[in-house]
Amino acid sequence: MRCFVYRFPFSGSLSLKSLKKGNIPQHVAIIMDGNGRWATRRKLPRSIGHQRGAEVLRETVVTCKDLGVKYLTAYSFSSENWQRPAEEVKDLMKLFIEVLQRELDGMIENDVKLNLIGQREIIPEKILRVFENAEEKTKFNKSLVFSIAFSYGSKQEIFDAVKKICIDYDRSEIDIETAKPEMLSGYLYTAGLPDPDLLIRTGGESRISNFLLWQIAYTELYFTDIMWPDFNRKNFFKAISSFQKRNRRFGRL
Ligand code: IPE
Ligand code: IPE
Ligand code: MG
């Protein structure tokens, strides 16, 4: 259990026990932003921020399991992030491979199912193999479905879904007269996952940056200035506590 052992700082009145008495979101999605700025402020290379960010993600997986969150979806690399300087992209790819390989045993032991959501066709072969190996080795796990959005862009996802729908329509596999909007959900990379109940964005920006546009129609949003590498268990508890105070009406009274 080496990979998942971590001592958490004291979390004040927001304890696991008190939160578990309330409504725990079934699906939490996170835009893990602020790694680079966290590092730059400390006069460290941005890559150190990404490394620390990967550790915080591991802690977050443990916290989700402890709380009873069933689905965690983490935005780790967007379609647009391919346009970053080649050196940063290279460092990030190296980190993804290292972290996925290092954490695989821990995910297996902790009954975590790994799921890649993103544009697989453009993911470099070497990284895709590591992701797909982790998916294969964890495919029967049930405690937590941990989706990593990598090379992910929501507009591309929706566009790909529409193309697949057109193909199935041509093959007479779809009756367009009786089709419902939910049909489209089944064509997204997230097919089979419930929509997120809570979306957290760290790093101070109040935007969605092309993440799960279709899926977050009725998701509760939580924005925080805390940079992702500082987003510890206590901060996660605060987000859950905020969610527990929301009144979700879904358009009804
Ligand atoms: C998020 O942190 C991680 C990725 C997008 C890969 P950033 O790298 O965007 O960090 P900031 O926003 O520049 O601080
Ligand atoms: C969003 O962060 C993507 C990830 C966290 C992986 P960005 O840093 O890429 O978003 P923008 O550029 O500030 O919108
Ligand atoms: Mg950013």
Side-chain angles (χ1 to χ4, degrees):
M1 252 273 301
R2 180 187 61 82
C3 305
F4 279 77
V5 174
Y6 179 77
R7 293 267 161 254
F8 295 108
F10 175 64
S11 301
S13 60
L14 286 177
S15 69
L16 190 70
K17 215 170 144 198
S18 68
L19 285 175
K20 283 184 90 164
K21 285 186 190 138
N23 179 22
I24 299 293
Q26 185 190 21
H27 184 172
V28 177
I30 308 182
I31 302 174
M32 308 181 293
D33 196 24
N35 292 349
R37 280 165 289 159
W38 180 91
T40 305
R41 282 174 196 173
R42 286 162 179 76
K43 301 196 168 33
L44 296 167
R46 287 175 60 87
S47 60
I48 301 289
H50 294 312
Q51 284 173 29
R52 173 67 198 140
E55 287 165 28
V56 171
L57 180 57
R58 189 218 305 137
E59 295 156 17
T60 305
V61 171
V62 178
T63 304
C64 283
K65 256 206 78 178
D66 290 348
L67 276 168
V69 170
K70 289 288 171 204
Y71 300 86
L72 171 67
T73 300
Y75 204 6
S76 65
F77 193 82
S78 74
S79 312
E80 290 74 22
N81 290 151
W82 288 116
Q83 295 161 50
R84 289 192 177 188
E87 197 61 29
E88 172 149 346
V89 173
K90 201 173 119 223
D91 284 349
L92 277 165
M93 296 307 126
K94 195 165 156 264
L95 180 66
F96 277 112
I97 294 175
E98 278 170 17
V99 171
L100 277 164
Q101 289 175 336
R102 191 175 66 219
E103 302 299 335
L104 182 57
D105 286 347
M107 287 192 280
I108 294 169
E109 281 172 36
N110 283 275
D111 200 31
V112 173
K113 176 177 173 164
L114 185 100
N115 179 36
L116 163 67
I117 58 169
Q119 205 185 359
R120 292 190 191 227
E121 311 85 85
I122 65 161
I123 297 178
E125 175 70 28
K126 195 174 166 196
I127 302 169
L128 188 61
R129 268 208 312 268
V130 179
F131 266 112
E132 290 184 341
N133 175 53
E135 284 185 315
E136 179 60 30
K137 299 259 165 65
T138 61
K139 68 180 175 191
F140 296 119
N141 293 353
K142 292 227 156 38
S143 292
L144 175 72
V145 177
F146 173 34
S147 301
I148 300 188
F150 175 84
S151 191
Y152 175 89
S154 191
K155 286 195 173 183
Q156 185 70 48
E157 177 186 37
I158 295 169
F159 183 65
D160 284 351
V162 172
K163 282 200 288 190
K164 286 184 225 152
I165 290 171
C166 291
I167 293 168
D168 284 355
Y169 176 73
D170 264 357
R171 292 180 182 149
S172 304
E173 285 170 16
I174 292 175
D175 179 0
I176 223 73
E177 299 305 324
T178 57
K180 300 263 187 302
E182 295 74 46
M183 179 198 66
L184 197 138
S185 305
Y187 283 87
L188 299 173
Y189 309 143
T190 52
L193 304 179
D195 287 343
D197 300 294
L198 171 65
L199 170 67
I200 298 169
R201 181 173 186 144
T202 62
E205 313 293 358
S206 306
R207 56 176 171 257
I208 300 298
S209 303
N210 201 13
F211 191 44
L212 303 176
L213 299 178
W214 173 274
Q215 298 88 337
I216 59 170
Y218 258 108
T219 299
E220 297 298 325
L221 308 179
Y222 182 88
F223 295 99
T224 170
D225 289 339
I226 295 167
M227 298 292 143
W228 176 249
D230 285 331
F231 197 73
N232 58 24
R233 183 161 165 118
K234 180 178 171 188
N235 299 128
F236 191 84
F237 281 0
K238 274 191 195 161
I240 300 294
S241 170
S242 165
F243 171 82
Q244 292 183 332
K245 295 189 186 98
R246 313 275 177 101
N247 178 6
R248 303 183 79 188
R249 287 186 291 279
F250 299 98
R252 302 181 205 113
L253 291 182

